[in-house]
Amino acid sequence: WDSILARNIEYWNFGQKDTGTCAVCEWYDYSNNSIQNKINDMEDGDLDAWFIHLSEGVDDVSKQEFDTLFEMGLVKEQTVVIHGTALDRSQFDKMANVNADLVWSPLSNLLLYGDTTDVEEADKAGVRISLAPDWGPSGSKSNLHELKTADLWNTDVLENHFSNYELAQMV
């Protein structure tokens, strides 16, 4: 009950044992056995979801992060890419082919990088998109604030690619 309405720091990932998160990840260390362990956990059902902050930024290094992860076999159905700001259609197609998901945090992206994830191309590729704040220092304070930013971006930049209902579904 205590991990339902508010995150309790004693309960990692809201008390869910079959999920993982990664903001600064061990997959950068190519000699680390944790890469194969992560793949094994995904394949044998020990990991239901892996939330990874990936491709944050708009530069080539950020873009390459996804390709590296994909080549290592770590982009799978359980993978939930948070940000993906540097990704292009070919990378979204790869995500869609394995049913990986995307979390869009437009306010944080705009404040930090001056641009946000190409969610229109992600949507066209068939990637499931969620909308959520990134973190306090550069992001919205709630899903409603993030929804407001997404709505403005959708109206002004994406020319209403998403309906109001679709934006609400993302939350």
Side-chain angles (χ1 to χ4, degrees), residues 32-43:
N32 197 329
N33 284 336
S34 66
I35 295 167
Q36 190 57 50
N37 290 340
K38 186 75 67 189
I39 293 169
N40 291 343
D41 287 346
M42 289 180 185
E43 290 175 352

Side-chain angles (χ1 to χ4, degrees), residues 78-89:
Q78 296 90 340
T79 307
V80 181
V81 172
I82 300 172
H83 299 295
T85 312
L87 302 184
D88 63 28
R89 176 58 185 266

